[in-house]
Structures are given as structure tokens and as C-alpha cells.
Amino acid sequence: MAKVMAINAGSSSLKFKLYEMPEEKVICSGIAERIGHDDAIFTLKYQGDKKTEILPIKDHAQAVKLTLDALVKEKIIINFDEIKATGHRVVQGGSYFSHSEVFNKDTEDKIESLIPLAPLHNAANLVGFRAFKTILPDVPAVAVFDTAFHQTMEPQDYIYPVPYEYVEKYGVRRYGAHGTSHLYLSNESFKYLKDVKHPKVISCHIGSGASISAIKDGKCVATTMGLTPLGGIMMGTRTGDIDPSVMKYCCECEHKTVEEMYQIFNKKSGLLGVSGISNDSRDIMAAIENGNKRAELAYQLFVRRIADFIGQYYVRLGGADLIIFSAGIGENSPETRQMVIDEIKEALHVEINDELNKQLKGKEGLISTSKSAIKVAVIPTDEEIMIARDAYNMLLK
Ligand code: AMP
């Protein structure tokens, strides 16, 4: 038995889950938010209890120290030595990493070199790793990449039709994201496909960030996110795929720089931008109930883009055996699942059981009927367990 920590560091947050491995038992979890502020928030969840504290946290190193001190104070661990390994989420692994990697100088250098491709994410992921290294210098660590699962795509699926020297010189291509989640979903899908020789799966990770992957024999063949997580389907605040000339035209009209418009495409678009209300699907649904037409339009767009990609991937895979709904919206919103299925059912002969669909909120199960040409399942994703597994298997087994 060994305690392993899965870590997801953002630019101003540090999320963690502590596991007992290999039992995969969650011991506790928590998050430090608003790092860098005097009114930062530290939350610890342990044995059904949730404790929240507001206090100054100046940087990630302090957040790590605070986290570990809290674990000792709550008698979750006796001392820091009990943590035997850490696993860190890294958003961009570029073409370097097709699986998780032990952290060493080379790994760190490569992640650092990829910062231009994911400025907010990779820099923050590294800050998180280094903060742990400062406080726990002898504890080994692995990097688990959001892009790794998508490295099996063929060039036809990942090359953009820009001048080819941009691919060679700058690494411009589709890398995808949410790969750890899609891999988890792919692994979980096999139990529904025991009788299928070469399973074809379309996994829909629909949360505030959203992406869809086409998976054949457990390998990713296509995914919606692109060079960065901005590409693909419409999301809570991101545009997803749009005609690139929208960027130029909007910059001209609004007298904004590319960087400013890029922020708007990332943070003020998607469900939020179209509805003008919120990036949260629950708020949009409530507004639709109240007759808000922009909210309705926003959701129709959102659903259609999901359906369009399911159709595209059905063709790409040469059929499909299973469609998976996952993440915040996919797991918890029967209405969204129903709307997506309504868009594809005529072409793909998919049918779901209304009652089963309504029952499943945050729980796993099949929602398709026996007549459906493609099985449809809700599978709650678990990226943290994938990180903890890799940390345990690569460092401690
Ligand atoms: P995630 O990024 O996977 O954590 O998903 C977060 C999003 O899931 C939120 O912004 C909501 O839009 C959505 N969500 C969470 N819970 C529910 C729910 N019970 N019903 C509908 N949507 C939900």
C-alpha cells in the first residue's frame, strides 16, 4: 500500500486527490484557489466532511506546503514521507510524449519548450510540479499528458492545410486534449463491447471544456480539439472550430489585437457568448424554460456541433458500436443527451430509453434500447485515477 497524489495545477489553482494505491481508494481531495491573492480559498474534503478556509496564499509552493500541513493536521498522514509518488497533469505534450513520462531534467525541458503551444496551461503545470519538488525533493513524479492518447492519429487527421514548413518549423498541428479522459472512457468501454472484435467508440467529453474522440481498438483515430483546446465543438466559453477569417474580421471591427480576440474566443464565446447569460448549461436550461430565445439558440448550436462530429466520426470509424456521454454535462444532463440523440437518430438509427436516460445523473450505465443500432452509455470520467495509476505503475510497482 502506498499513498500517491494526483495533481492538477492551474495558473491560480492547485487541485489534488490523495489515493491509497494500488487499491485506488480515494483518501481525500482538495483545492487551493485564487493563489496569489490575500483571500485565497483552501478546501479539503475528507471522510464526507468539507472544510474551507480563506487565507493568503502567495504562490504554488505555499499552496503545496499548506496542503501537506493540512493532511498532517487532520491526521490523514503522519508526516510528508508517507507520500510515495506524485502524478501531474500536463496539458501539452506536443509530439514528444505518446504516454506518461517520469519527471527528470529532459521531461521538464521538453514540457518547458512546449509552453508557446499552451502558454497558460503548461507553464502552470510546471509551476505546480516545481512547487512539489521544492517541498518533497525526494518524492518521484510522473507527467501525464492530455495530448498523449491522441498521438496515434494519422497525419490526415492531425495536419492542418497550412504551409507545411509551419508544421516542421513550429509544430503546428492538431494535438487534441482531454486525452486522459478519453483513454479512461475507452478502457471502461470494453465491458460494453465484449462481443465486438474491433470496437469503434465515439467518446463525448462534454463539460465546460468539451471534446469528442473517435476510438478504434482502444486507439484514438481522431479528436476534435486542435493545436490547443480552443478547437473542435463549441464549449462553455470557447468558440470551437470557426472560419479563421472570423478572427481577422472581428479584430478589424472591434479594433482589437489578435491576442485580445484570442482571449475573447477562449473566455467570452461559446454558450456564454451566444446566450449572453452564462457558460453553465444549467443556467442556459433555466433561461430556455423562461422563454429566452438567445439561450435556446446557444444550446441548439451547442448540440448541433456535437451531433455533427458524431456523424463525422461515424464515417471516419466506418460505423460505431458505442457512443459515450461523459463529463459535467454529459454525465448530468439527460436533456442534453436527448437533444444530441434527437439530432442523430434518423441517420444512425440510435434509440435511447427515456426512463434510463432520465435516471442517470452522475452514474454509469447504458441508456440505449435493445433496438438501437449503436449502444449509448453514460460513463463518469476519472482523469485523476489515470494519473494516480500511472504514478503508481511507473514509480512504485
Ligand atoms: P466539467 O468541466 O466536466 O466539470 O463540467 C462542468 C459543467 O457541467 C458545468 O459548467 C455545467 O454546465 C455542467 N453541469 C454540471 N452539473 C450539471 C447538472 N446537474 N446538469 C446539467 N449540467 C451540469
Side-chain angles (χ1 to χ4, degrees), residues 207-209 279-282 327-329 332-333:
S208 51
N279 64 332
D280 192 308
S281 69
R282 289 162 290 196
I329 299 172
N332 296 300
S333 172

PDB file of all heavy atoms in Angstrom, residues 207-209 279-282 327-329 332-333, ligand 1:
ATOM      1  N   GLY A 207     -18.049  18.821 -20.961  1.00  0.00           N
ATOM      2  CA  GLY A 207     -18.057  19.590 -19.717  1.00  0.00           C
ATOM      3  C   GLY A 207     -17.960  21.052 -20.088  1.00  0.00           C
ATOM      4  O   GLY A 207     -18.363  21.436 -21.191  1.00  0.00           O
ATOM      5  N   SER A 208     -17.406  21.881 -19.187  1.00  0.00           N
ATOM      6  CA  SER A 208     -17.256  23.287 -19.589  1.00  0.00           C
ATOM      7  C   SER A 208     -16.243  23.373 -20.730  1.00  0.00           C
ATOM      8  O   SER A 208     -16.387  24.176 -21.639  1.00  0.00           O
ATOM      9  CB  SER A 208     -16.877  24.157 -18.404  1.00  0.00           C
ATOM     10  OG  SER A 208     -15.791  23.605 -17.738  1.00  0.00           O
ATOM     11  N   GLY A 209     -15.209  22.541 -20.672  1.00  0.00           N
ATOM     12  CA  GLY A 209     -14.409  22.258 -21.866  1.00  0.00           C
ATOM     13  C   GLY A 209     -15.018  21.019 -22.487  1.00  0.00           C
ATOM     14  O   GLY A 209     -15.513  20.155 -21.754  1.00  0.00           O
ATOM     15  N   ASN A 279     -21.978  30.499 -18.937  1.00  0.00           N
ATOM     16  CA  ASN A 279     -21.300  29.364 -19.584  1.00  0.00           C
ATOM     17  C   ASN A 279     -21.797  28.042 -19.006  1.00  0.00           C
ATOM     18  O   ASN A 279     -21.379  26.977 -19.436  1.00  0.00           O
ATOM     19  CB  ASN A 279     -19.782  29.466 -19.396  1.00  0.00           C
ATOM     20  CG  ASN A 279     -19.385  29.366 -17.945  1.00  0.00           C
ATOM     21  OD1 ASN A 279     -20.164  29.734 -17.065  1.00  0.00           O
ATOM     22  ND2 ASN A 279     -18.204  28.883 -17.668  1.00  0.00           N
ATOM     23  N   ASP A 280     -22.659  28.123 -18.018  1.00  0.00           N
ATOM     24  CA  ASP A 280     -23.112  26.915 -17.319  1.00  0.00           C
ATOM     25  C   ASP A 280     -24.407  26.407 -17.935  1.00  0.00           C
ATOM     26  O   ASP A 280     -25.396  27.148 -18.012  1.00  0.00           O
ATOM     27  CB  ASP A 280     -23.309  27.238 -15.837  1.00  0.00           C
ATOM     28  CG  ASP A 280     -23.493  25.978 -15.016  1.00  0.00           C
ATOM     29  OD1 ASP A 280     -24.356  25.153 -15.365  1.00  0.00           O
ATOM     30  OD2 ASP A 280     -22.754  25.823 -14.025  1.00  0.00           O
ATOM     31  N   SER A 281     -24.388  25.148 -18.342  1.00  0.00           N
ATOM     32  CA  SER A 281     -25.554  24.614 -19.051  1.00  0.00           C
ATOM     33  C   SER A 281     -26.822  24.687 -18.195  1.00  0.00           C
ATOM     34  O   SER A 281     -27.917  24.818 -18.728  1.00  0.00           O
ATOM     35  CB  SER A 281     -25.296  23.181 -19.496  1.00  0.00           C
ATOM     36  OG  SER A 281     -25.233  22.341 -18.390  1.00  0.00           O
ATOM     37  N   ARG A 282     -26.672  24.614 -16.874  1.00  0.00           N
ATOM     38  CA  ARG A 282     -27.863  24.688 -16.006  1.00  0.00           C
ATOM     39  C   ARG A 282     -28.537  26.048 -16.105  1.00  0.00           C
ATOM     40  O   ARG A 282     -29.764  26.145 -16.161  1.00  0.00           O
ATOM     41  CB  ARG A 282     -27.477  24.394 -14.554  1.00  0.00           C
ATOM     42  CG  ARG A 282     -27.134  22.948 -14.326  1.00  0.00           C
ATOM     43  CD  ARG A 282     -26.372  22.732 -13.062  1.00  0.00           C
ATOM     44  NE  ARG A 282     -25.013  23.280 -13.157  1.00  0.00           N
ATOM     45  CZ  ARG A 282     -24.033  22.976 -12.326  1.00  0.00           C
ATOM     46  NH1 ARG A 282     -24.263  22.160 -11.332  1.00  0.00           N
ATOM     47  NH2 ARG A 282     -22.828  23.495 -12.477  1.00  0.00           N
ATOM     48  N   ALA A 327     -18.348  13.661 -18.571  1.00  0.00           N
ATOM     49  CA  ALA A 327     -18.009  14.986 -18.011  1.00  0.00           C
ATOM     50  C   ALA A 327     -19.271  15.717 -17.538  1.00  0.00           C
ATOM     51  O   ALA A 327     -20.385  15.197 -17.688  1.00  0.00           O
ATOM     52  CB  ALA A 327     -17.216  15.819 -18.996  1.00  0.00           C
ATOM     53  N   GLY A 328     -19.081  16.905 -16.972  1.00  0.00           N
ATOM     54  CA  GLY A 328     -20.152  17.619 -16.260  1.00  0.00           C
ATOM     55  C   GLY A 328     -21.515  17.582 -16.935  1.00  0.00           C
ATOM     56  O   GLY A 328     -22.515  17.201 -16.321  1.00  0.00           O
ATOM     57  N   ILE A 329     -21.562  17.945 -18.193  1.00  0.00           N
ATOM     58  CA  ILE A 329     -22.848  17.982 -18.901  1.00  0.00           C
ATOM     59  C   ILE A 329     -23.238  16.575 -19.358  1.00  0.00           C
ATOM     60  O   ILE A 329     -24.373  16.136 -19.151  1.00  0.00           O
ATOM     61  CB  ILE A 329     -22.770  18.957 -20.095  1.00  0.00           C
ATOM     62  CG1 ILE A 329     -22.452  20.379 -19.603  1.00  0.00           C
ATOM     63  CG2 ILE A 329     -24.078  18.947 -20.897  1.00  0.00           C
ATOM     64  CD1 ILE A 329     -22.161  21.392 -20.697  1.00  0.00           C
ATOM     65  N   ASN A 332     -24.468  14.520 -16.387  1.00  0.00           N
ATOM     66  CA  ASN A 332     -25.547  15.019 -15.517  1.00  0.00           C
ATOM     67  C   ASN A 332     -26.762  15.589 -16.224  1.00  0.00           C
ATOM     68  O   ASN A 332     -27.724  15.953 -15.567  1.00  0.00           O
ATOM     69  CB  ASN A 332     -24.990  16.123 -14.598  1.00  0.00           C
ATOM     70  CG  ASN A 332     -23.941  15.590 -13.650  1.00  0.00           C
ATOM     71  OD1 ASN A 332     -24.231  14.707 -12.858  1.00  0.00           O
ATOM     72  ND2 ASN A 332     -22.730  16.099 -13.763  1.00  0.00           N
ATOM     73  N   SER A 333     -26.702  15.725 -17.536  1.00  0.00           N
ATOM     74  CA  SER A 333     -27.816  16.393 -18.212  1.00  0.00           C
ATOM     75  C   SER A 333     -28.530  15.458 -19.201  1.00  0.00           C
ATOM     76  O   SER A 333     -28.163  15.376 -20.380  1.00  0.00           O
ATOM     77  CB  SER A 333     -27.294  17.646 -18.936  1.00  0.00           C
ATOM     78  OG  SER A 333     -28.312  18.194 -19.733  1.00  0.00           O
TER      79      SER A 333
HETATM   80  P1  AMP B   1     -16.804  19.874 -16.081  1.00  0.00           P
HETATM   81  O1  AMP B   1     -15.972  20.860 -16.811  1.00  0.00           O
HETATM   82  O2  AMP B   1     -16.721  18.487 -16.624  1.00  0.00           O
HETATM   83  O3  AMP B   1     -16.624  19.932 -14.593  1.00  0.00           O
HETATM   84  O4  AMP B   1     -18.323  20.315 -16.346  1.00  0.00           O
HETATM   85  C1  AMP B   1     -18.824  21.496 -15.781  1.00  0.00           C
HETATM   86  C2  AMP B   1     -20.139  21.837 -16.435  1.00  0.00           C
HETATM   87  O5  AMP B   1     -21.057  20.737 -16.318  1.00  0.00           O
HETATM   88  C3  AMP B   1     -20.843  22.999 -15.775  1.00  0.00           C
HETATM   89  O6  AMP B   1     -20.425  24.222 -16.271  1.00  0.00           O
HETATM   90  C4  AMP B   1     -22.283  22.729 -16.130  1.00  0.00           C
HETATM   91  O7  AMP B   1     -22.525  23.333 -17.379  1.00  0.00           O
HETATM   92  C5  AMP B   1     -22.374  21.237 -16.314  1.00  0.00           C
HETATM   93  N1  AMP B   1     -23.132  20.582 -15.248  1.00  0.00           N
HETATM   94  C6  AMP B   1     -22.697  20.207 -14.036  1.00  0.00           C
HETATM   95  N2  AMP B   1     -23.696  19.637 -13.326  1.00  0.00           N
HETATM   96  C7  AMP B   1     -24.783  19.644 -14.110  1.00  0.00           C
HETATM   97  C8  AMP B   1     -26.142  19.214 -13.967  1.00  0.00           C
HETATM   98  N3  AMP B   1     -26.569  18.618 -12.842  1.00  0.00           N
HETATM   99  N4  AMP B   1     -26.981  19.399 -15.009  1.00  0.00           N
HETATM  100  C9  AMP B   1     -26.562  19.978 -16.126  1.00  0.00           C
HETATM  101  N5  AMP B   1     -25.299  20.410 -16.342  1.00  0.00           N
HETATM  102  C10 AMP B   1     -24.421  20.251 -15.353  1.00  0.00           C
END
